[in-house]
Amino acid sequence: MAFEANRYYLYEELCGLLRTYREDYPDLVGLESIGQSPEGRHIWVMTISRSEQAESKPAYWIDANTHASEITGSSTALYTIEFLLKNQDLADVRNLLNHFTFYICPRLNPDGAEYCMQENIYVRSAARNYPDSDAIPTFYRQDLTGDNRVLHMRWLAENGAWCVSEKDPRMMVPRDPWSKGPFYHVSLEGLFDESVLDDPALPQDNVHPFDLDFNRNYPYAWRHDELGAGSYPLSEPETRAVVDFLLAHKNIGGMLTHHTYSGVILRPFTDKNDNEMPPFDLGVYKLIGDRGEALTGYPCLSVFHDFRYDSKKSIGGVFDDWAYEHYGVHCYTMELWDPIQRAGIDISKGYLNFWFEFSEENNLKLLAWNDGELEGKAFLDWQSFDHPQLGEVEIGGWDWMYSTRNPPPKLLEETSKKGCDFALAHAACLPKPAMEMKVSTLEGNIRKVDLYLKNDGFLPTYICDLAKTQKCVHPTTLELELDAGLTLVEGKQKQRVEHLDGIFNRNIPRNSAIYISGSGDHSRRKLTFIVQIEPGAEKGAQLHFIWYGDRIGELHLARDISSFS
């Protein structure tokens, strides 16, 4: 089964593609299910590594499809897998795979994605009753015309709140005191519960009981009163599976979670001002974010400062906050696909304003974009329909699933490339721990062994300052094993070793190029051992150093010192 960049994959197709990768690249790829959804679908994680022990190297995590309808993320994760495997011999990719492991979860939410793709009905995360497990919907979204789309309905009503735009008859505009009519009720396409047919406009306040939001279900700043938060932190098997996997893989040093559809790269904090973040961590976030903007055209924004739904209230339970605050790495949320910007709408005054402030001018730009770039396929003209409950209505509007929420297939590959490019740019910043050994003879059978621990990567081996203060990472450990006939005279066979800085520690925060302040290089550490070779020691007797810890994986270095002179 070959990967196609301009298509979306249902669950069974996605499973088949992942198995094909495992079969075609057995030396690079591992595949495991980290859990199952309530409907029995696997949550797959693909491991890509040149090492037989993937946990032995620093790693990068990518996940996608937290929200059911945001299937672009899954395609982007698959695109990234395909790119790494098919281009493994390119210099840049080879360098990444030589130093790092990738863990990629292309569909965190298989039940929700399957529901949206099969039914074309929106749910935030999953088709599970929440918060009221016994709730009875007052409205049922449904494809009434049989075209595999759930669009909108409009029908004439004297007390309707909407009327047809005088500038484009396809567009509905809010009614005001000066509107002349005719007036309409507007609803999603579907059927009403019998109990509300006397006024079928009202049930839109309670469309369905599926308000669960996995990206409000993580432990950081979780609140019970947050819309969609779940019964308690990690109450859902999907979010728990992800956290359990991450906590069992402490070698992960960076994360990216794919969403749609604002065309931005988001970073923590969600609930705090930037001045509460350690300056080094903020500098790294901004630097990598700026690189992301250069690669994708998507600006990197602080959620707290630039992307809040309510300026007086912060949301909680978000994954990237948890990854930074509790796990201790830089994590970004990538909002793939940018329909609003592509339509030429100015969002410089606020990236969420479009959704909360109706503008006839902006909606006309969207329709013009549909007529041009999308070849008129994303907006369906209103068509008369005999509704079984309401009588004559018209059905039409935006094919939301493949226009605003996700790109139409012809634009999917270019969108996925952006997510891949940013992920690999972030991964390239991970630490690169290494060991070197120098042996010299002091006298007779006494050897001096100088061991050099070093980090040639950009990020420190502890990744971020907050990880140290929050104790998300511990000092690394160095162990020495000696073959028979070798005796340690000086030095420790097991010891804690403090983390090493990276290149970023010496140039972040970045000041004026007129005056560059120097800083010491703390990316190297020298440890000295004295070893005696006992009489009768076998030729080839070795020292074996093992250096391991959170974020660095496990490194091994062995050397024969028995015949050294």
Side-chain angles (χ1 to χ4, degrees):
M1 183 177 187
F3 173 70
E4 298 175 49
N6 278 328
R7 62 162 294 193
Y8 296 98
Y9 287 83
L10 291 166
Y11 172 75
E12 290 297 340
E13 297 170 324
L14 182 144
C15 293
L17 186 59
L18 295 178
R19 293 188 185 105
T20 298
Y21 285 134
R22 181 179 59 186
E23 294 166 3
D24 290 350
Y25 300 93
D27 296 333
L28 274 178
V29 164
L31 182 64
E32 67 176 299
S33 172
I34 64 171
Q36 283 187 292
S37 69
E39 295 178 22
R41 296 183 178 93
H42 289 285
I43 303 167
W44 295 111
V45 168
M46 177 153 283
T47 301
I48 303 176
S49 177
R50 286 195 185 278
S51 172
E52 292 183 3
Q53 300 296 324
E55 294 84 359
S56 67
K57 296 189 292 188
Y60 192 77
W61 167 268
I62 301 170
D63 70 62
N65 223 159
T66 292
H67 292 139
S69 63
E70 297 174 8
I71 55 177
T72 304
S74 284
S75 296
T76 300
L78 294 173
Y79 181 98
T80 305
I81 293 171
E82 174 87 0
F83 183 86
L84 288 170
L85 297 179
K86 290 294 178 66
N87 297 285
Q88 58 180 287
D89 293 325
L90 291 180
D92 288 347
V93 177
R94 184 171 63 247
N95 184 53
L96 288 171
L97 294 178
N98 284 342
H99 288 98
F100 312 126
T101 291
F102 288 84
Y103 300 115
I104 303 178
C105 177
R107 185 157 292 165
L108 186 155
N109 180 6
D111 288 355
E114 199 74 0
Y115 181 83
C116 280
M117 294 178 76
Q118 294 279 30
E119 304 295 331
N120 213 298
I121 296 175
Y122 171 81
V123 293
R124 182 62 164 164
S125 284
R128 302 174 205 159
N129 281 11
Y130 174 86
D132 182 358
S133 60
D134 298 318
I136 298 175
T138 55
F139 180 81
Y140 302 87
R141 300 183 186 188
Q142 188 173 329
D143 170 21
L144 299 177
T145 62
D147 64 354
N148 196 34
R149 298 182 179 94
V150 176
L151 304 174
H152 279 85
M153 307 187 297
R154 68 182 186 186
W155 63 99
L156 290 167
E158 290 185 3
N159 65 334
W162 296 85
C163 52
V164 175
S165 168
E166 295 180 356
K167 298 179 179 179
D168 191 317
R170 295 174 294 179
M171 180 170 53
M172 304 301 294
V173 296
R175 177 181 179 177
D176 58 40
W178 310 278
S179 300
K180 298 179 180 179
F183 305 116
Y184 292 82
H185 286 322
V186 177
S187 162
L188 291 166
E189 183 180 352
L191 299 173
F192 295 92
D193 188 82
E194 294 293 332
S195 63
V196 298
L197 279 177
D198 287 341
D199 191 348
L202 295 178
Q204 288 305 293
D205 291 334
N206 180 23
V207 171
H208 56 66
F210 304 148
D211 281 334
L212 191 62
D213 187 340
F214 291 169
N215 207 32
R216 305 293 182 269
N217 191 233
Y218 290 93
Y220 176 78
W222 183 90
R223 295 199 316 269
H224 190 272
D225 64 347
E226 184 75 61
L227 180 64
S231 302
Y232 52 88
L234 304 180
S235 60
E236 305 312 304
E238 295 90 343
T239 56
R240 178 171 289 277
V242 168
V243 168
D244 284 347
F245 180 89
L246 296 176
L247 293 178
H249 294 77
K250 293 295 187 70
N251 57 320
I252 295 171
M255 301 187 197
L256 176 64
T257 179
H258 285 309
H259 290 244
T260 64
Y261 47 104
S262 297
V264 296
I265 302 169
L266 301 176
R267 62 166 177 83
F269 292 116
T270 295
D271 64 335
K272 297 177 188 175
N273 193 295
D274 274 354
N275 61 23
E276 296 190 51
M277 185 178 290
F280 174 73
D281 296 356
L282 181 59
V284 171
Y285 260 125
K286 288 183 175 181
L287 179 65
I288 297 173
D290 287 347
R291 178 59 178 165
E293 181 171 0
L295 289 170
T296 68
Y298 298 168
C300 184
L301 307 176
S302 156
V303 175
F304 181 84
H305 292 285
D306 305 305
F307 207 79
R308 281 198 286 176
Y309 298 99
D310 183 342
S311 61
K312 299 178 181 178
K313 180 181 177 182
S314 299
I315 58 175
V318 176
F319 176 73
D320 59 13
D321 278 326
W322 174 85
Y324 174 60
E325 281 268 355
H326 290 188
Y327 188 92
V329 300
H330 302 94
C331 179
Y332 294 87
T333 297
M334 191 162 193
E335 290 272 339
L336 296 156
W337 185 228
D338 51 351
I340 308 308
Q341 296 93 311
R342 293 177 84 104
I345 296 171
D346 180 12
I347 56 173
S348 60
K349 295 181 180 179
Y351 280 81
L352 295 174
N353 286 358
F354 173 84
W355 304 106
F356 301 121
E357 298 178 6
F358 180 88
S359 163
E360 188 170 8
E361 178 185 355
N362 285 343
N363 279 271
L364 287 169
K365 289 181 179 179
L366 273 176
L367 286 170
W369 169 65
N370 165 69
D371 297 340
E373 185 174 30
L374 303 189
E375 300 172 337
K377 297 178 180 179
F379 191 98
L380 280 76
D381 290 338
W382 298 97
Q383 299 292 328
S384 179
F385 180 78
D386 185 14
H387 192 279
Q389 295 171 318
L390 304 175
E392 185 179 354
V393 302
E394 291 178 286
I395 294 179
W398 287 98
D399 181 9
W400 61 276
M401 185 73 172
Y402 302 104
S403 60
T404 53
R405 186 73 54 168
N406 302 284
K410 72 171 187 174
L411 299 175
L412 179 56
E413 182 174 7
E414 69 172 72
T415 303
S416 295
K417 183 180 184 300
K418 293 181 179 184
C420 175
D421 288 349
F422 179 62
L424 302 190
H426 186 188
C429 300
L430 293 174
K432 293 180 179 178
M435 291 190 287
E436 293 180 356
M437 188 192 315
K438 294 183 179 179
V439 182
S440 59
T441 298
L442 294 181
E443 58 178 86
N445 289 334
I446 304 297
R447 303 287 185 264
K448 178 186 177 186
V449 179
D450 290 323
L451 181 71
Y452 297 86
L453 306 180
K454 62 179 184 175
N455 172 25
D456 291 327
F458 285 86
L459 285 168
T461 59
Y462 56 85
I463 305 299
C464 56
D465 281 349
L466 187 69
K468 292 195 296 185
T469 59
Q470 298 278 68
K471 300 191 185 308
C472 300
V473 294
H474 302 95
T476 66
T477 299
L478 180 70
E479 293 188 18
L480 169 60
E481 296 177 352
L482 300 98
D483 283 354
L486 302 180
T487 300
L488 183 64
V489 177
E490 186 177 311
K492 298 179 180 180
Q493 279 197 257
K494 185 175 182 178
Q495 59 185 300
R496 287 287 203 179
V497 179
E498 289 300 321
H499 281 276
L500 302 179
D501 285 353
I503 294 172
F504 281 158
N505 291 90
R506 303 198 297 277
N507 61 27
I508 291 179
R510 296 190 164 180
N511 300 316
S512 169
I514 297 175
Y515 175 74
I516 301 175
S517 58
S519 61
D521 183 357
H522 300 288
S523 64
R524 303 285 190 273
R525 185 158 289 118
K526 174 184 174 183
L527 299 169
T528 299
F529 303 82
I530 307 298
V531 178
Q532 179 172 315
I533 303 173
E534 303 295 344
E538 293 185 10
K539 186 176 182 179
Q542 290 188 337
L543 295 177
H544 180 197
F545 287 101
I546 309 166
W547 183 29
Y548 59 90
D550 300 341
R551 312 299 182 256
I552 69 168
E554 182 173 299
L555 291 81
H556 294 254
L557 179 63
R559 184 166 177 182
D560 169 16
I561 66 166
S562 64
S563 58
F564 184 89
S565 61

